[in-house]
Amino acid sequence: MFSLISSFQMQFMLLFSRQGKLRLQKWYVPLSDKEKKKITRELVQTVLARKPKMCSFLEWRDLKIVYKRYASLYFCCAIEDQDNELITLEIIHRYVELLDKYFGSVCELDIIFNFEKAYFILDEFLLGGEAQETSKKNVLKAIEQADLLQESVSTAPFCDIFTNI
Amino acid sequence: MHHTAMSPSVPLQEMIRAIRSARTQCEERGVIQRECAAIRAQFRQSDNGGRSHNLAKLLYVHMLGYPAHFGQMECVRMIASPRYSEKRVGYLGAMMLLDEKQDASLLITNSIKNDLSHSNQYVQSLALCTLACMGSAEMCRDLAPEIDRLLRASNSYIKKKAALCAVHIVRKVHDLGELFTPAARSLLAEKNHGVLHGAVVLITELCERNQETLERFRKTVPDLVQIMKGLVISGYSPEHDVAGISDPFLQVRILRLLRILGRNNEGASDAMNDLLAQVATNTDSTKTVGNAVLYETVLTVLHIKSESGLRVLAVNILGRFLLNNDRNIRYIAMISLQKIVGTDHNAVQRHRGTIVDCLKDQDASVKRRALDLSLALVSASNVRSMMKELLLFLSSCPPELRAQAASGIFNAAERYAPSQRWHIDTILHVLTTAGGDVRDETVPNLIQLITNASELHCYTVHKLYRALLTDISQQSLVQVACWCIGEYGDLLLRGECQETEPVQVTEDDVLDALETVLQSHMSSPATRGFALTATMKLRTPLSLTANTDRIQSIVSIYGSCIDVELQQRAVEYNALFRKYDHMRAAVLERMPVIEKNSPGHTNGESTGEPIKDIQTLKVKQGEPLLPQQPANQVLTLTQMHVV
């Protein structure tokens, strides 16, 4: 009988600028809009108050926060008690690499003006808060194919000529 | 630019530009209001080919924090559209605007069901992603059989997503774990890394929720070991390589599953022993990614029934982490060591020096961890050197850690003091450095300690008197000093003392000191109470009439003090002077030694080992023994002052 179920889930991921402007929010747990806003406000404030020399992990409420700044954007994940902070940093890094490959030297403006694509890429990398594909190449290939499908102007909106990965 | 990257949505980008060029919040609101009105109008119109652009605009507005619930139904409609572009944005919208708590989310269940069996895998993917992100318990129950089907018969692209969808379903509806168990088992034979990863995550989830399932999956330990071996010793695989580590994400998840399967089970733990040793030894620790794998390995080793050699290996990895340049790694090491300081105490002791060095780290979280760990590592054999470091830390530590540090030092001192004099010195040092951050019980506890160290009364009162002359701002220190002066005033005036340099203290000097305390604006009412009582007690040892008159006049001044407590004392003391002088000597006699019955106390005279009770307590809890205040018999202030 388990008295304590280990918790390994990523609860949410936030991307925000140095001025605290939200650029992406992905929630993997059900929360009301009001709660999401409150959490976002508090967390953004907490992370922005951190000094550059401090470590990338902090305890916040009953969660562990893993964050890293890439240029003007903060990438911030909330993981549960038993999860591995170091591999979460790798997850963040992998996502940044994917964005970089897709947009070509990605910067904050790319994420602002193409936010829906940032989401599409994230959703091809993580599913329900877990990594679904560990090969960078495969994630990018899938996005590419999905984009082509979207662009296609043939009369049949769903082309079956695209080979499944 | 990647040449097949999707062309930008012009209407969306134009709107974004317009919003960003607003110079004030008010102007922005204006732009947004106009845009939302236009979007609303567009939603009401029939299909005009621009639906996905409109919804995307609304989602952007929503991210800025503006209300967007009028778009919920549009999401539902878009999801049902035959056009992929519309489905894609529709599902995105659903994930952003709908959550399981809203009724509208139920409306998309049917669309999801249909799309799960769509002929195009990218459409299936949208449905799977959305279900795994926001599926309610009801939706999960409804669609679970469909997911199970996909787990068994589809291509890798879909299987890997179905596995994680199943994870979400099991988290929402625990009983459905039974449904997925058979399929999960066969997925372990897949070669595709994505599928394997999903399978391992699913199996982990299933085992955590159901003991029987866990026992069944124990049989897969050899298979998991094989897969791991393949990853660790295989040749370079460019597709999954991260800085020389082959698929670290998969490695970490397998290690985690092994942890769960090996917990409390010798057989399973034995079967994975060699592999863990191999991973621990061969993984490149020069990059973060290698350390991520090593960290997971350490966690697994420490949680299963591993051989002692393997445990030592694991703790040594943590010890190396402590020396890593990367602050993150040091922090992780500290957290892990904290968790095992109870169970693997000796192994952690070997790294005590490094841990103590981390007290000087720049990062407050690292400092805090180092403090907890250092306190847990204090023992009879290292108490003197450890205390030096801890007192040094106390003098420069961040304010938010002072109370914890002071309290921890007191407890360690109580438990392992090599001598009474050392104990008293240590407490005085803390009071001088951080007197404002100690708990209220410190004063009576210290007084109790002092009364019990009868050979040191002279030493103590001299030391406290000198402290009082230097600084009267630390209330706890001043209170104890006053009490001692009142109690041992005769020893103070005598001048000679075995343990310290002889110093001439006149009766005037002593009264001056007490009066300074009484009159200072820094003294709290409680402190003044101590000073007044001490003044009164000095009546007995003081011989010069000039001084006894002085005492009487001090006391009578406070007879009209605003503070009721002080006033009462003063009036009663005055009565002792006038009507009850014959009783005065007996009433102001030296206090008897205060009884001590604190558990775990050792005084230098004993063997220096912590008593057995505490040791057993450590092992039972399996956690670092956080310093607790001992249950001393404490006399309250009112009990101690003479009425």
Side-chain angles (χ1 to χ4, degrees):
Chain A
M1 186 57 203
F2 295 101
S3 55
L4 188 83
I5 291 188
S6 306
S7 0
F8 296 125
Q9 193 189 358
M10 181 186 297
Q11 291 208 358
F12 57 84
M13 182 189 288
L14 303 174
L15 265 66
F16 51 90
S17 70
R18 273 184 300 189
Q19 287 75 42
K21 283 236 130 121
L22 203 58
R23 298 302 178 205
L24 184 146
Q25 48 173 332
K26 190 76 188 180
W27 301 84
Y28 295 111
V29 287
L31 291 164
S32 68
D33 242 7
K34 193 165 156 215
E35 288 168 311
K36 285 179 192 169
K37 281 206 171 109
K38 183 162 188 279
I39 290 173
T40 305
R41 203 171 39 235
E42 273 181 40
L43 200 50
V44 167
Q45 217 173 29
T46 307
V47 172
L48 288 178
R50 304 270 292 178
K51 302 193 195 72
K53 287 225 160 134
M54 297 175 97
C55 74
S56 299
F57 317 128
L58 62 108
E59 277 144 51
W60 184 82
R61 300 195 182 182
D62 58 346
L63 294 170
K64 298 202 279 199
I65 304 296
V66 179
Y67 73 93
K68 190 156 171 162
R69 188 161 82 89
Y70 287 85
S72 59
L73 266 185
Y74 282 88
F75 287 70
C76 185
C77 290
I79 59 176
E80 291 180 351
D81 186 58
Q82 302 287 321
D83 213 337
N84 180 330
E85 292 97 322
L86 296 177
I87 204 74
T88 307
L89 274 177
E90 292 302 313
I91 296 228
I92 290 175
H93 193 72
R94 176 56 63 92
Y95 181 44
V96 173
E97 284 179 324
L98 290 167
L99 291 169
D100 192 64
K101 255 283 151 47
Y102 184 86
F103 288 108
S105 289
V106 68
C107 63
E108 190 185 344
L109 282 175
D110 290 319
I111 313 268
I112 293 169
F113 282 94
N114 300 280
F115 77 96
E116 81 279 20
K117 288 166 205 164
Y119 275 100
F120 295 151
I121 295 169
L122 183 63
D123 286 343
E124 203 57 53
F125 173 42
L126 301 180
L127 202 95
E130 306 278 355
Q132 61 181 282
E133 178 57 67
T134 57
S135 151
K136 224 187 314 188
K137 191 178 82 178
N138 286 348
V139 176
L140 291 165
K141 231 188 334 178
I143 298 282
E144 195 181 329
Q145 298 285 56
D147 283 353
L148 282 174
L149 186 60
Q150 176 156 346
E151 295 284 287
S152 80
V153 290
S154 78
T155 50
F158 301 108
C159 296
D160 294 309
I161 64 169
F162 290 110
T163 45
N164 293 343
I165 291 173
Chain B
M1 257 325 239
H2 196 219
H3 74 276
T4 56
M6 234 166 67
S7 45
S9 158
V10 175
L12 170 65
Q13 300 207 331
E14 270 175 10
M15 184 198 77
I16 294 175
R17 219 162 281 144
I19 292 172
R20 282 168 66 77
S21 49
R23 281 159 300 171
T24 63
Q25 184 76 37
C26 194
E27 215 180 301
E28 183 184 279
R29 264 200 298 273
V31 174
I32 296 215
Q33 259 166 17
R34 277 198 304 280
E35 289 287 345
C36 282
I39 292 168
R40 255 197 176 101
Q42 295 278 8
F43 283 170
R44 280 194 288 268
Q45 282 179 18
S46 58
D47 184 7
N48 52 17
R51 286 167 70 194
S52 50
H53 299 306
N54 281 318
L55 186 54
K57 281 187 194 175
L58 184 61
L59 296 180
Y60 182 82
V61 161
H62 175 254
M63 188 154 58
L64 291 180
Y66 294 91
H69 33 259
F70 64 88
Q72 285 174 4
M73 285 315 292
E74 186 67 10
C75 293
V76 176
R77 260 176 257 132
M78 298 264 280
I79 285 172
S81 158
R83 291 207 190 101
Y84 178 72
S85 56
E86 291 179 355
K87 268 194 201 287
R88 212 182 188 192
V89 181
Y91 274 114
L92 180 63
M95 286 189 275
M96 286 174 75
L97 302 182
L98 300 174
D99 59 63
E100 62 168 52
K101 294 187 177 151
Q102 284 154 33
D103 298 330
S105 65
L106 284 175
L107 298 172
I108 63 173
T109 311
N110 223 45
S111 292
I112 293 181
K113 195 183 220 149
N114 291 335
D115 286 341
L116 281 175
S117 28
H118 199 280
S119 55
N120 187 294
Q121 65 180 15
Y122 299 105
V123 175
Q124 286 179 294
S125 169
L126 293 175
L128 285 163
C129 181
T130 306
L131 182 59
C133 179
M134 54 160 288
S136 64
E138 206 175 315
M139 285 163 76
C140 289
R141 257 188 277 267
D142 213 346
L143 299 167
E146 200 44 39
I147 301 299
D148 186 51
R149 193 183 63 77
L150 290 173
L151 271 181
R152 296 164 191 280
S154 56
N155 60 31
S156 310
Y157 181 71
I158 294 299
K159 258 190 198 159
K160 75 187 187 196
K161 292 173 192 265
L164 293 177
C165 214
V167 171
H168 174 83
I169 290 174
V170 172
R171 283 177 181 160
K172 276 281 185 245
V173 186
H174 305 334
D175 302 332
L176 286 171
E178 287 280 342
L179 173 67
F180 297 122
T181 304
R185 178 71 185 84
S186 29
L187 285 176
L188 272 186
E190 299 265 343
K191 295 292 167 221
N192 179 291
H193 281 228
V195 177
L196 213 42
H197 186 274
V200 172
V201 176
L202 177 57
I203 293 171
T204 307
E205 195 67 36
L206 295 173
C207 290
E208 295 225 90
R209 304 236 173 230
N210 188 305
Q211 180 66 24
E212 270 181 49
T213 310
L214 184 141
E215 270 154 32
R216 271 189 282 168
F217 272 106
R218 276 220 187 93
K219 302 193 197 90
T220 66
V221 168
D223 299 321
L224 292 166
V225 167
Q226 270 311 109
I227 298 170
M228 227 7 225
K229 272 210 177 101
L231 291 171
V232 172
I233 60 178
S234 69
Y236 177 65
S237 154
E239 206 179 313
H240 298 104
D241 181 275
V242 180
I245 313 271
S246 186
D247 206 336
F249 303 105
L250 181 57
Q251 287 198 30
V252 163
R253 293 319 296 250
I254 292 178
L255 287 165
R256 206 173 285 174
L257 178 54
L258 287 173
R259 174 151 88 246
I260 288 158
L261 296 174
R263 210 157 45 194
N264 295 321
N265 187 286
E266 296 233 3
S269 300
D270 280 341
M272 57 182 83
N273 198 84
D274 288 346
L275 168 76
L276 293 172
Q278 197 171 24
V279 178
T281 320
N282 293 342
T283 306
D284 180 10
S285 56
T286 55
K287 302 263 171 54
T288 310
V289 66
N291 288 324
V293 174
L294 281 171
Y295 177 42
E296 197 75 37
T297 311
V298 166
L299 289 177
T300 298
V301 168
L302 295 175
H303 280 87
I304 63 172
K305 291 195 169 287
S306 44
E307 282 175 8
S308 58
L310 192 55
R311 283 185 94 80
V312 170
L313 190 58
V315 178
N316 286 348
I317 291 176
L318 293 178
R320 278 208 309 277
F321 276 7
L322 280 179
L323 299 165
N324 197 301
N325 283 329
D326 187 338
R327 174 166 288 114
N328 291 333
I329 309 280
R330 294 205 298 277
Y331 177 83
I332 292 292
M334 213 81 78
I335 303 254
S336 313
L337 288 167
Q338 180 83 43
K339 292 189 180 148
I340 59 165
V341 74
T343 49
D344 296 79
H345 191 89
N346 291 332
V348 180
Q349 277 284 8
R350 267 183 233 129
H351 304 280
R352 194 177 69 243
T354 322
I355 291 167
V356 167
D357 281 340
C358 289
L359 286 169
K360 302 180 192 110
D361 199 297
Q362 301 280 0
D363 186 325
S365 358
V366 173
K367 269 210 210 337
R368 170 180 313 219
R369 298 289 162 183
L371 175 63
D372 285 342
L373 212 39
S374 299
L375 288 170
L377 290 174
V378 178
S379 70
S381 49
N382 63 32
V383 65
R384 282 187 196 268
S385 55
M386 283 297 276
M387 208 48 89
K388 267 207 198 81
E389 298 286 350
L390 289 166
L391 288 171
L392 196 63
F393 173 71
L394 185 66
S395 56
S396 59
C397 80
E400 65 268 14
L401 291 179
R402 283 157 73 97
Q404 191 186 341
S407 167
I409 289 172
F410 280 157
N411 280 293
E414 164 90 24
R415 204 156 270 145
Y416 302 112
S419 73
Q420 281 181 320
R421 178 176 160 167
W422 181 95
H423 195 174
I424 290 171
D425 283 344
T426 303
I427 298 184
L428 292 183
H429 193 136
V430 173
L431 290 182
T432 318
T433 322
D437 296 289
V438 301
R439 285 191 254 191
D440 293 338
E441 310 91 80
T442 310
V443 171
N445 284 350
L446 178 55
I447 288 174
Q448 178 188 67
L449 181 65
I450 290 170
T451 63
N452 275 282
S454 32
E455 324 80 65
L456 293 170
H457 288 167
C458 191
Y459 166 76
T460 310
V461 71
H462 273 271
K463 194 148 179 185
L464 280 166
Y465 173 72
R466 268 200 296 279
L468 201 63
L469 293 180
T470 323
D471 174 20
I472 58 167
S473 62
Q474 300 282 32
Q475 299 304 292
S476 14
L477 188 62
V478 173
Q479 288 172 11
V480 177
C482 289
W483 191 91
C484 281
I485 292 171
E487 196 64 14
Y488 310 123
D490 55 327
L491 299 176
L492 184 63
L493 294 165
R494 202 182 296 161
E496 21 134 315
C497 183
Q498 272 186 323
E499 306 245 5
T500 67
E501 309 245 317
V503 63
Q504 241 352 72
V505 182
T506 67
E507 298 182 0
D508 277 316
D509 292 335
V510 178
L511 288 175
D512 284 344
L514 290 175
E515 252 196 304
T516 313
V517 173
L518 275 169
Q519 290 164 359
S520 167
H521 65 277
M522 289 191 282
S523 299
S524 69
T527 306
R528 288 211 180 91
F530 271 92
L532 189 64
T533 305
T535 309
M536 186 60 194
K537 287 190 204 171
L538 285 174
R539 172 67 184 84
T540 312
L542 295 195
S543 48
L544 302 175
T545 325
N547 289 324
T548 58
D549 286 346
R550 189 177 168 187
I551 291 176
Q552 183 155 13
S553 77
I554 292 174
V555 167
S556 57
I557 286 172
Y558 280 87
S560 44
C561 175
I562 277 181
D563 187 284
V564 171
E565 170 71 26
L566 285 175
Q567 193 192 106
Q568 182 179 345
R569 289 190 195 200
V571 166
E572 290 168 359
Y573 294 162
N574 243 331
L576 267 183
F577 266 114
R578 289 184 271 112
K579 286 197 275 178
Y580 301 97
D581 199 58
H582 58 281
M583 285 173 65
R584 188 190 25 83
V587 168
L588 299 178
E589 213 176 49
R590 177 90 92 234
M591 291 283 281
V593 168
I594 299 165
E595 277 304 301
K596 205 201 300 251
N597 62 355
S598 65
H601 176 79
T602 56
N603 215 322
E605 295 84 67
S606 72
T607 58
E609 299 256 78
I611 62 174
K612 221 159 132 234
D613 289 352
I614 302 298
Q615 198 66 349
T616 337
L617 202 63
K618 265 189 196 170
V619 171
K620 249 190 267 197
Q621 288 175 346
E623 264 184 7
L625 197 67
L626 283 180
Q628 304 271 320
Q629 274 287 24
N632 284 333
Q633 176 147 59
V634 162
L635 295 182
T636 64
L637 273 177
T638 45
Q639 279 176 292
M640 283 200 304
H641 88 247
V642 179
V643 175

